[in-house]
């Protein structure tokens, strides 16, 4: 778990997450999901949004854990 938190608190991970957000909500991917019909675009948006929120939550917890460890020292 410590190894995962070490990766999540790096600036490079947050930059990668930002680029992934731009890619997930770009015009070509949105068009592909919209052309499939039905509620697929809505499902795609909620799944992508949920994954991003989960990654941001875990990154925030990793950073808070590091701050807490610094304060204890």
């Amino acid at each position: 778990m410590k190894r995962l938190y070490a990766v999540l608190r790096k600036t490079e991970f947050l930059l990668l997450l930002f680029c992934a957000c731009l890619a997930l909500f770009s015009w070509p991917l949105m068009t592909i999901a919209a052309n499939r019909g039905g509620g697929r675009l809505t499902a795609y948006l909620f799944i992508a949004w949920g994954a991003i929120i989960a990654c941001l939550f875990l990154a925030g917890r990793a950073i808070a854990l590091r701050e807490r460890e610094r304060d204890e020292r």
Side-chain angles (χ1 to χ4, degrees):
M1 195 64 147
K2 289 196 180 250
R3 182 178 277 180
L4 176 64
Y5 279 161
V7 171
L8 290 173
R9 72 174 65 118
K10 291 187 182 263
T11 306
E12 293 86 2
F13 174 75
L14 296 175
L15 183 62
L16 179 67
L17 186 61
F18 176 75
C19 292
C21 291
L22 286 177
L24 284 173
F25 296 112
S26 66
W27 169 74
L29 288 179
M30 299 285 278
T31 304
I32 291 170
N35 287 342
R36 302 279 177 169
R40 295 205 186 218
L41 178 61
T42 305
Y44 171 78
L45 288 174
F46 276 103
I47 290 170
W49 174 77
I52 291 165
I53 294 298
C55 288
L56 285 173
F57 175 75
L58 291 174
R61 287 189 52 107
I63 292 170
L65 179 65
R66 180 179 61 186
E67 294 298 322
R68 193 175 318 131
E69 288 175 354
R70 274 192 199 161
D71 290 342
E72 291 175 356
R73 291 182 193 169

